[in-house]
Amino acid sequence: MLFLLVFASVFASCRSGNDKANAPKKVAVIVSTLNNPWFVVLAETAATEAKKLGYETKIFDSQNNTSLEADHFENAIVSGFNAILLNPTDSDGSIVNVMKAKEAGIPVFCMDREVNSSNVATSQILSDNYSGCVAIGEDFVKDLNKKGNYVEILGLVGDNNTWNRSKGFHSVVDRYPGLNMVAQQSADFDRNKAMDVLESILQAHPDIDAVFCGNDAMAMGAYQALVAAGKANSVGVYGFDGADDVMNAIRDRKIRATGLQSPQTMAKTAARFADEYFKGKRDFAQRIPVAVELVTQKNSADYETPARP
């Protein structure tokens, strides 16, 4: 009898081990926010691509909160996820979360936003924000004929994308003394905050010619503020992302231009990198730039609206 019990126990243990070995690997998609259509496309594309490759997936919404992102990492580690596709909430604040995954032996592939470390994430797939905003700056200068007053609305001040975009824009615009920035303020990449910010700025600086925004959600908020102030037809608005609503607004001649970055390209690349990691690859480039294209009212017809997977 004792022999049978031992045999049954060993058999059950082996079966459990085999079941675990044969179970599909799991991929967590942790995204900064799902309160922005662009990030919804990023998250859903990453999850869909990983699923196509044969993996279980789950999307976690960090709601732009680094503490909530930390909870998602703890959950992913404890729940046995085998890889994490991450859109970080904060370039510095997210480092500790990525480090925990690395210590647990879980690879992390960053999408769109980077963490300020070159030895925690397995790879970081990032838009070339600087070059994209150089192109916007050149179009901005041309539209304003090298003179006028403008406002800059920044994204999250803790995110590298915010400053890479601002630096790219200013690397061009600051060469023209006739262009005067009357106000620069953060709206956290948030549409409603951008509307409130510009409404407040317009009270102090009603005579502006353009608004440069660090993303498309804020561009739409800025446009709403200009509509309310009766200035939508006289003030040009520039965004960055290539989000659906701004692409349509450019075609409707409401927004002047945007930098089209492809969330699909970054998300699919991250999912494929996780697949390659599972199959044994380890030599990933630390940072991979993804090109950004300038979309204006002149060439908007050449671009299809980004589609959901």
Side-chain angles (χ1 to χ4, degrees):
M1 178 61 74
L2 178 61
F3 171 77
L4 290 175
L5 288 173
V6 171
F7 176 79
S9 175
V10 171
F11 178 76
S13 176
C14 291
R15 189 175 62 180
S16 175
N18 289 335
D19 288 348
K20 188 175 182 180
N22 293 330
K25 292 188 181 299
K26 301 196 297 184
V27 176
V29 179
I30 302 178
V31 65
S32 60
T33 177
L34 292 178
N35 192 31
N36 180 322
W38 193 92
F39 291 108
V40 173
V41 173
L42 181 78
E44 291 185 351
T45 301
T48 299
E49 186 68 14
K51 193 172 182 180
K52 284 181 182 175
L53 292 166
Y55 307 115
E56 291 184 5
T57 63
K58 182 175 180 179
I59 296 174
F60 298 84
D61 179 5
S62 300
Q63 299 176 24
N64 279 328
N65 183 327
T66 306
S67 296
L68 182 56
E69 180 186 88
D71 292 341
H72 293 329
F73 266 79
E74 293 287 350
N75 188 357
I77 293 170
V78 171
S79 302
F81 280 86
N82 305 95
I84 295 173
L85 312 184
L86 173 67
N87 173 245
T89 56
D90 188 284
S91 300
D92 291 318
S94 296
I95 293 175
V96 64
N97 297 330
V98 181
M99 180 63 75
K100 287 180 182 176
K102 183 180 181 181
E103 290 172 351
I106 301 172
V108 176
F109 300 91
C110 292
M111 306 177 291
D112 174 50
R113 293 178 176 175
E114 65 180 321
V115 291
N116 284 331
S117 174
S118 295
N119 59 10
V120 291
T122 305
S123 184
Q124 306 196 62
I125 304 107
L126 313 167
S127 283
D128 191 346
N129 292 286
Y130 186 92
S131 297
C133 284
V134 167
I136 291 176
E138 291 170 344
D139 189 68
F140 184 93
V141 170
K142 186 177 179 182
D143 282 352
L144 270 65
N145 197 23
K146 305 177 184 178
K147 61 182 179 181
N149 296 324
Y150 73 92
V151 171
E152 180 181 10
I153 301 181
L154 299 164
L156 291 163
V157 295
D159 178 36
N160 282 2
N161 287 355
T162 293
W163 298 110
N164 288 335
R165 293 172 190 178
S166 182
K167 289 174 183 174
F169 175 76
H170 283 283
S171 72
V172 176
V173 175
D174 289 357
R175 300 203 305 263
Y176 298 90
L179 290 170
N180 178 37
M181 184 172 70
V182 297
Q184 182 190 56
Q185 192 169 331
S186 170
D188 296 338
F189 289 137
D190 184 90
R191 178 173 179 155
N192 291 331
K193 288 183 180 178
M195 183 174 65
D196 293 342
V197 163
L198 188 58
E199 284 178 346
S200 177
I201 291 173
L202 284 172
Q203 292 178 13
H205 304 283
D207 186 20
I208 63 170
D209 302 289
V211 183
F212 169 62
C213 301
N215 80 343
D216 280 349
M218 297 192 298
M220 291 303 294
Y223 177 77
Q224 286 180 274
L226 292 168
V227 169
K231 297 178 178 294
N233 294 326
S234 60
V235 179
V237 178
Y238 300 76
F240 191 93
D241 275 340
D244 290 15
D245 49 359
V246 162
M247 294 292 282
N248 289 329
I250 291 173
R251 296 184 184 101
D252 293 339
R253 309 188 74 77
K254 297 176 179 176
I255 303 290
R256 294 284 177 84
T258 188
L260 174 63
Q261 53 174 346
S262 172
Q264 294 92 340
T265 298
M266 290 182 279
K268 289 180 180 179
T269 301
R272 289 168 187 166
F273 278 9
D275 178 57
E276 292 172 3
Y277 185 93
F278 294 150
K279 293 174 179 174
K281 182 176 177 178
R282 293 294 183 270
D283 58 334
F284 294 92
Q286 177 54 216
R287 286 179 171 80
I288 297 178
V290 177
V292 175
E293 298 181 53
L294 176 68
V295 180
T296 68
Q297 293 175 352
K298 292 180 180 177
N299 69 356
S300 61
D302 298 336
Y303 293 86
E304 294 181 357
T305 300
R308 288 190 180 187

